[in-house]
PDB file of all heavy atoms in Angstrom:
ATOM      1  N   ARG A  11      -4.830   9.437   1.633  1.00  0.00           N
ATOM      2  CA  ARG A  11      -5.502   8.311   0.986  1.00  0.00           C
ATOM      3  C   ARG A  11      -4.474   7.202   0.783  1.00  0.00           C
ATOM      4  O   ARG A  11      -3.344   7.460   0.396  1.00  0.00           O
ATOM      5  CB  ARG A  11      -6.079   8.745  -0.351  1.00  0.00           C
ATOM      6  CG  ARG A  11      -6.882   7.663  -1.046  1.00  0.00           C
ATOM      7  CD  ARG A  11      -7.424   8.202  -2.352  1.00  0.00           C
ATOM      8  NE  ARG A  11      -8.289   7.262  -3.001  1.00  0.00           N
ATOM      9  CZ  ARG A  11      -9.604   7.327  -3.027  1.00  0.00           C
ATOM     10  NH1 ARG A  11     -10.229   8.302  -2.415  1.00  0.00           N
ATOM     11  NH2 ARG A  11     -10.306   6.429  -3.672  1.00  0.00           N
ATOM     12  N   THR A  12      -4.880   5.985   1.026  1.00  0.00           N
ATOM     13  CA  THR A  12      -4.024   4.831   0.803  1.00  0.00           C
ATOM     14  C   THR A  12      -4.470   4.147  -0.480  1.00  0.00           C
ATOM     15  O   THR A  12      -5.656   3.910  -0.683  1.00  0.00           O
ATOM     16  CB  THR A  12      -4.116   3.850   1.988  1.00  0.00           C
ATOM     17  OG1 THR A  12      -3.764   4.549   3.180  1.00  0.00           O
ATOM     18  CG2 THR A  12      -3.173   2.681   1.802  1.00  0.00           C
ATOM     19  N   ILE A  13      -3.499   3.865  -1.338  1.00  0.00           N
ATOM     20  CA  ILE A  13      -3.784   3.207  -2.611  1.00  0.00           C
ATOM     21  C   ILE A  13      -2.880   1.992  -2.759  1.00  0.00           C
ATOM     22  O   ILE A  13      -1.877   1.860  -2.067  1.00  0.00           O
ATOM     23  CB  ILE A  13      -3.582   4.162  -3.805  1.00  0.00           C
ATOM     24  CG1 ILE A  13      -2.125   4.653  -3.855  1.00  0.00           C
ATOM     25  CG2 ILE A  13      -4.551   5.325  -3.754  1.00  0.00           C
ATOM     26  CD1 ILE A  13      -1.753   5.333  -5.130  1.00  0.00           C
ATOM     27  N   THR A  14      -3.214   1.132  -3.666  1.00  0.00           N
ATOM     28  CA  THR A  14      -2.394  -0.027  -3.982  1.00  0.00           C
ATOM     29  C   THR A  14      -1.156   0.436  -4.736  1.00  0.00           C
ATOM     30  O   THR A  14      -1.249   1.280  -5.637  1.00  0.00           O
ATOM     31  CB  THR A  14      -3.195  -1.013  -4.852  1.00  0.00           C
ATOM     32  OG1 THR A  14      -4.400  -1.345  -4.179  1.00  0.00           O
ATOM     33  CG2 THR A  14      -2.401  -2.280  -5.118  1.00  0.00           C
ATOM     34  N   ALA A  15      -0.011  -0.101  -4.394  1.00  0.00           N
ATOM     35  CA  ALA A  15       1.240   0.253  -5.073  1.00  0.00           C
ATOM     36  C   ALA A  15       1.127  -0.049  -6.569  1.00  0.00           C
ATOM     37  O   ALA A  15       0.466  -1.003  -6.976  1.00  0.00           O
ATOM     38  CB  ALA A  15       2.395  -0.531  -4.462  1.00  0.00           C
ATOM     39  N   GLY A  16       1.747   0.796  -7.376  1.00  0.00           N
ATOM     40  CA  GLY A  16       1.751   0.596  -8.822  1.00  0.00           C
ATOM     41  C   GLY A  16       0.585   1.226  -9.555  1.00  0.00           C
ATOM     42  O   GLY A  16       0.499   1.141 -10.775  1.00  0.00           O
ATOM     43  N   ARG A  17      -0.314   1.892  -8.834  1.00  0.00           N
ATOM     44  CA  ARG A  17      -1.452   2.538  -9.498  1.00  0.00           C
ATOM     45  C   ARG A  17      -0.992   3.767 -10.272  1.00  0.00           C
ATOM     46  O   ARG A  17      -0.027   4.418  -9.919  1.00  0.00           O
ATOM     47  CB  ARG A  17      -2.511   2.966  -8.465  1.00  0.00           C
ATOM     48  CG  ARG A  17      -2.976   1.861  -7.583  1.00  0.00           C
ATOM     49  CD  ARG A  17      -4.323   1.262  -7.790  1.00  0.00           C
ATOM     50  NE  ARG A  17      -5.326   1.941  -8.508  1.00  0.00           N
ATOM     51  CZ  ARG A  17      -6.465   2.384  -8.012  1.00  0.00           C
ATOM     52  NH1 ARG A  17      -6.735   2.244  -6.729  1.00  0.00           N
ATOM     53  NH2 ARG A  17      -7.363   2.940  -8.785  1.00  0.00           N
ATOM     54  N   THR A  18      -1.734   4.086 -11.309  1.00  0.00           N
ATOM     55  CA  THR A  18      -1.423   5.255 -12.136  1.00  0.00           C
ATOM     56  C   THR A  18      -2.448   6.356 -11.887  1.00  0.00           C
ATOM     57  O   THR A  18      -3.499   6.128 -11.276  1.00  0.00           O
ATOM     58  CB  THR A  18      -1.444   4.895 -13.626  1.00  0.00           C
ATOM     59  OG1 THR A  18      -2.786   4.552 -13.992  1.00  0.00           O
ATOM     60  CG2 THR A  18      -0.479   3.758 -13.947  1.00  0.00           C
ATOM     61  N   LEU A  19      -2.135   7.534 -12.412  1.00  0.00           N
ATOM     62  CA  LEU A  19      -3.110   8.625 -12.343  1.00  0.00           C
ATOM     63  C   LEU A  19      -4.402   8.233 -13.044  1.00  0.00           C
ATOM     64  O   LEU A  19      -5.494   8.553 -12.560  1.00  0.00           O
ATOM     65  CB  LEU A  19      -2.551   9.891 -12.984  1.00  0.00           C
ATOM     66  CG  LEU A  19      -1.669  10.770 -12.112  1.00  0.00           C
ATOM     67  CD1 LEU A  19      -1.163  11.955 -12.913  1.00  0.00           C
ATOM     68  CD2 LEU A  19      -2.391  11.229 -10.880  1.00  0.00           C
ATOM     69  N   ALA A  20      -4.305   7.536 -14.167  1.00  0.00           N
ATOM     70  CA  ALA A  20      -5.511   7.103 -14.882  1.00  0.00           C
ATOM     71  C   ALA A  20      -6.360   6.188 -14.006  1.00  0.00           C
ATOM     72  O   ALA A  20      -7.588   6.307 -13.990  1.00  0.00           O
ATOM     73  CB  ALA A  20      -5.144   6.406 -16.180  1.00  0.00           C
ATOM     74  N   ASP A  21      -5.718   5.282 -13.273  1.00  0.00           N
ATOM     75  CA  ASP A  21      -6.456   4.401 -12.362  1.00  0.00           C
ATOM     76  C   ASP A  21      -7.203   5.227 -11.314  1.00  0.00           C
ATOM     77  O   ASP A  21      -8.379   4.983 -11.034  1.00  0.00           O
ATOM     78  CB  ASP A  21      -5.514   3.437 -11.637  1.00  0.00           C
ATOM     79  CG  ASP A  21      -4.811   2.458 -12.547  1.00  0.00           C
ATOM     80  OD1 ASP A  21      -5.382   2.092 -13.596  1.00  0.00           O
ATOM     81  OD2 ASP A  21      -3.680   2.054 -12.201  1.00  0.00           O
ATOM     82  N   LEU A  22      -6.500   6.204 -10.736  1.00  0.00           N
ATOM     83  CA  LEU A  22      -7.090   7.024  -9.684  1.00  0.00           C
ATOM     84  C   LEU A  22      -8.243   7.876 -10.214  1.00  0.00           C
ATOM     85  O   LEU A  22      -9.313   7.923  -9.611  1.00  0.00           O
ATOM     86  CB  LEU A  22      -6.017   7.903  -9.045  1.00  0.00           C
ATOM     87  CG  LEU A  22      -6.462   8.761  -7.872  1.00  0.00           C
ATOM     88  CD1 LEU A  22      -6.951   7.899  -6.709  1.00  0.00           C
ATOM     89  CD2 LEU A  22      -5.326   9.671  -7.417  1.00  0.00           C
TER      90      LEU A  22
END
Side-chain angles (χ1 to χ4, degrees):
R11 184 179 185 103
T12 303
I13 61 167
T14 305
R17 305 254 341 245
T18 66
L19 276 178
D21 296 330
L22 183 62

